[in-house]
Amino acid sequence: MFKCNYTEINDQSPIPLVRLQLKNIDNCSSVIEKDGILDTGADCTLIPFSTIAKLQPKSLIRGRHNQIIYGVGNSKIITVPYRILMSFDQENFIKIKVYACPDDDTNGLIILGRNFLNRYRITFDGKAKLFIIE
């Protein structure tokens, strides 16, 4: 069980933010730490291009074909899919498909979508400003 308090960023409303550990599947020796927002409204997990550049995983598509997904307000986001290892407890890494996108599209944070969140039981307690991941 992992228990965490909500985080306030730039004087905005508190958000469920968790510190993540990321690894390249082919080269697991180095770990990158990055913050991620638990977003139950997102279908997929988005990761900034700058973070993918540090991990250097192999793209899941060949050539220069980008994929377009639609975000808030039906805005187009140009992405490239990758498969990486991700953990929030520094021990239990899972293999997950992520979509790299411009840093500005996520404010430099990782957006954890349902393809990650559905692997866990998550309890959000907005009144107490905390969440529990089991």
Side-chain angles (χ1 to χ4, degrees):
M1 182 169 68
F2 181 78
K3 192 175 189 179
C4 194
N5 292 318
Y6 280 33
T7 302
E8 291 190 33
I9 298 179
N10 301 330
D11 299 326
Q12 296 179 2
S13 299
I15 58 172
L17 191 71
V18 64
R19 192 69 173 171
L20 298 164
Q21 297 80 45
L22 313 168
K23 291 182 182 182
N24 180 327
I25 289 175
D26 297 324
N27 178 10
C28 297
S29 60
S30 64
V31 176
I32 294 175
E33 291 203 6
K34 189 80 175 168
D35 289 331
I37 299 172
L38 282 67
D39 186 349
T40 59
D43 292 329
C44 60
T45 296
L46 298 175
I47 187 167
F49 280 132
S50 63
T51 303
I52 282 293
K54 292 175 187 173
L55 283 174
Q56 298 181 336
K58 294 178 187 170
S59 171
L60 294 178
I61 57 176
R62 302 206 185 262
R64 295 183 166 212
H65 297 89
N66 296 329
Q67 294 184 344
I68 295 176
I69 60 173
Y70 294 91
V72 176
N74 214 25
S75 61
K76 289 182 181 180
I77 300 173
I78 297 171
T79 66
V80 178
Y82 294 89
R83 197 164 311 279
I84 64 169
L85 297 173
M86 185 181 295
S87 173
F88 58 85
D89 65 5
Q90 301 178 357
E91 294 178 13
N92 300 305
F93 283 84
I94 61 167
K95 190 185 298 185
I96 184 166
K97 184 177 184 180
V98 297
Y99 292 86
C101 64
D103 289 41
D104 290 344
D105 287 344
T106 66
N107 290 324
L109 299 169
I110 294 173
I111 305 296
L112 294 168
R114 288 193 310 269
N115 69 322
F116 178 80
L117 301 176
N118 286 344
R119 297 170 186 240
Y120 304 96
R121 179 177 22 197
I122 303 173
T123 304
F124 295 95
D125 185 345
K127 289 184 179 181
K129 296 183 182 175
L130 65 88
F131 58 96
I132 300 167
I133 302 174
E134 300 178 83

